[in-house]
């Protein structure tokens, strides 16, 4: 029995995906989607009420030539549950809601209610000011006081921001000065430590010219060349030690033997006896008859 949820499917050896024909769809094709009614509405054809949350199999498309600051607007097509009349509505990014477009009317639109209330309040205020000059004066006084309060609050915010900025700059300046002082102290301590190390090295070690190993090497050296310098460790005394005294006994013995022997003698080439006597063999000797 085969599996219900197949993950790996069989592909024959001669399967070529390039031979599968590609579907060519129009640029703005409609898609079938499952959605719920975003608001309660009433059908204009039969008067049927469609409540919010009713599920429909709708068709979705992108509205051509309309957008809101680059945001695409989509249109949805549904059918009335009673008369099957077509109803369309589209997205409204400006009010973060949906707007009824055709075939139905929305029962309640909150932003329109807010606008109507604001308009009614404004008209009532204007009518009251026309009929009562004292009320107009009071309204202007309240408005001016509100503006002054807003300006004072804004000035306080600006002063607080400027004070915080100055405090931050002063704190940064103090931290920078403190870091520079720490760095200068560290540099001074490092320089003193290096000077002490150099002084100790000069007290313990000294540079002396290296003596010639042999007479032949001294003769072969050019007169214009600088003498070789060797760094040696001093003794505890104040007198400058000799290089020979600092070397071990075996090294001193080798140096004395090398200086006494000098350059090694050249080896002569070994000559055979027959060639030394001047005898040359031309060929094999003839047999005696």
């Amino acid at each position: 029995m085969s599996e219900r949820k197949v993950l790996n499917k069989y592909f024959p050896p001669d399967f070529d995906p390039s031979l599968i024909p590609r579907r060519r769809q129009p640029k703005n094709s409609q898609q079938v989607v499952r959605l719920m009614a975003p608001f309660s509405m009433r059908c204009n054809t039969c008067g049927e009420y469609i409540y919010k949350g009713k599920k429909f199999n709708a068709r979705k498309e992108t509205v051509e030539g309309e957008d809101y600051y680059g945001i695409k607007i989509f249109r949805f097509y549904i059918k009335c549950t009673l008369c099957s009349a077509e109803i369309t509505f589209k997205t409204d990014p400006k009010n973060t809601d949906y707007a009824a477009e055709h075939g139905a009317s929305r029962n309640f639109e909150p932003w329109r209610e807010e606008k109507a209330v604001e308009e009614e309040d404004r008209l009532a205020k204007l009518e009251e000011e026309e009929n009562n000059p004292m009320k107009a004066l009071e309204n202007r006084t309240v408005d001016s006081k509100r503006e002054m309060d807003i300006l004072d609050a804004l000035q306080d915010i600006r002063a607080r921001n400027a004070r915080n900025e100055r405090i931050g700059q002063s704190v940064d300046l103090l931290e920078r000065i403190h870091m520079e002082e720490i760095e200068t102290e560290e540099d001074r301590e490092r320089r003193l430590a290096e000077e002490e190390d150099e002084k100790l090295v000069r007290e313990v070690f000294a540079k002396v010219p290296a003596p010639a190993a042999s007479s032949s090497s001294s003769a072969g050296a050019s007169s214009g060349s600088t003498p070789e310098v060797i760094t040696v460790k001093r003794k505890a005394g104040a007198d400058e030690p000799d290089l020979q005294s600092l070397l071990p006994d075996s090294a001193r013995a080798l140096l004395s033997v090398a200086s006494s022997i000098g350059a090694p003698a050249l080896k002569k080439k070994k000559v055979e006896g027959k060639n030394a006597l001047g005898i040359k063999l031309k060929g094999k000797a003839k047999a005696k008859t």
Side-chain angles (χ1 to χ4, degrees):
M1 186 175 180
S2 62
E3 297 181 7
R4 185 171 63 87
K5 294 182 179 180
V6 180
L7 299 178
N8 299 325
K9 297 183 179 180
Y10 172 74
F11 294 95
D14 56 349
F15 175 73
D16 189 3
S18 62
L19 299 178
I20 299 175
R22 297 177 62 120
R23 292 192 306 168
R24 297 189 178 274
Q25 297 181 352
K27 185 177 180 181
N28 187 15
S29 61
Q30 294 182 352
Q31 300 176 1
V32 178
V33 294
R34 183 76 171 173
L35 57 79
M36 292 186 294
F39 51 82
S40 60
M41 65 188 82
R42 184 180 182 184
C43 179
N44 294 336
T45 305
C46 63
E48 176 70 13
Y49 286 96
I50 301 173
Y51 59 88
K52 180 179 179 181
K54 180 69 176 176
K55 292 183 179 180
F56 292 95
N57 292 325
R59 291 177 287 116
K60 184 185 79 169
E61 68 177 7
T62 305
V63 180
E64 295 292 339
E66 292 185 21
D67 63 346
Y68 180 74
Y69 294 104
I71 301 173
K72 293 182 180 180
I73 297 176
F74 299 100
R75 180 183 290 114
F76 300 93
Y77 297 85
I78 61 175
K79 290 183 178 181
C80 177
T81 55
L82 184 61
C83 64
S84 298
E86 190 174 60
I87 300 172
T88 62
F89 58 89
K90 59 184 180 180
T91 57
D92 187 8
K94 182 178 180 180
N95 299 308
T96 63
D97 205 343
Y98 293 83
E101 187 178 20
H102 174 72
S105 58
R106 187 166 181 173
N107 297 335
F108 176 71
E109 293 179 349
W111 64 87
R112 289 188 179 180
E113 185 69 19
E114 292 177 0
K115 291 180 181 178
V117 170
E118 290 177 0
E119 187 68 18
E120 289 178 0
D121 293 342
R122 189 178 65 83
L123 293 176
K125 185 177 180 181
L126 290 175
E127 184 178 359
E128 187 178 7
E129 289 178 357
E130 289 177 358
N131 298 329
N132 190 356
M134 294 301 295
K135 189 65 175 179
L137 181 60
E138 290 178 1
N139 292 337
R140 286 197 297 271
T141 305
V142 171
D143 293 339
S144 61
K145 184 179 180 181
R146 186 186 302 110
E147 291 180 359
M148 292 178 62
D149 293 341
I150 292 172
L151 292 176
D152 292 341
L154 183 60
Q155 187 66 24
D156 292 341
I157 293 172
R158 289 177 178 175
R160 190 184 306 112
N161 293 338
R163 184 169 60 255
N164 293 337
E165 187 176 358
R166 288 196 301 271
I167 292 173
Q169 291 179 356
S170 61
V171 170
D172 295 340
L173 181 61
L174 291 175
E175 290 181 356
R176 193 181 305 112
I177 294 173
H178 183 61
M179 291 299 295
E180 291 178 357
E181 291 179 355
I182 293 174
E183 290 179 357
T184 53
E185 291 178 0
E186 291 179 354
D187 295 339
R188 192 182 303 107
E189 292 178 358
R190 190 183 302 109
R191 187 173 64 255
L192 292 175
E194 291 178 357
E195 291 178 358
E196 291 179 359
D197 294 341
E198 290 292 335
K199 184 178 180 181
L200 182 61
V201 167
R202 286 194 299 270
E203 291 177 356
V204 175
F205 296 94
K207 293 182 179 181
V208 297
S214 60
S215 60
S216 60
S217 61
S218 61
S222 62
S223 61
S225 62
T226 57
E228 186 179 358
V229 178
I230 300 176
T231 303
V232 295
K233 187 176 181 181
R234 294 181 178 180
K235 287 186 178 180
D239 299 335
E240 190 70 22
D242 188 10
L243 180 61
Q244 297 290 341
S245 63
L246 297 176
L247 296 176
D249 297 337
S250 58
R252 286 200 296 272
L254 290 174
L255 287 176
S256 60
V257 170
S259 59
S260 61
I261 292 175
L266 297 174
K267 293 184 179 180
K268 294 182 179 180
K269 187 177 180 182
K270 188 177 181 181
V271 183
E272 296 181 358
K274 296 178 181 180
N275 295 334
L277 296 176
I279 301 172
K280 296 183 180 179
L281 297 178
K282 293 184 178 181
K284 293 183 180 180
K286 296 181 180 180
K288 294 181 178 181
T289 56

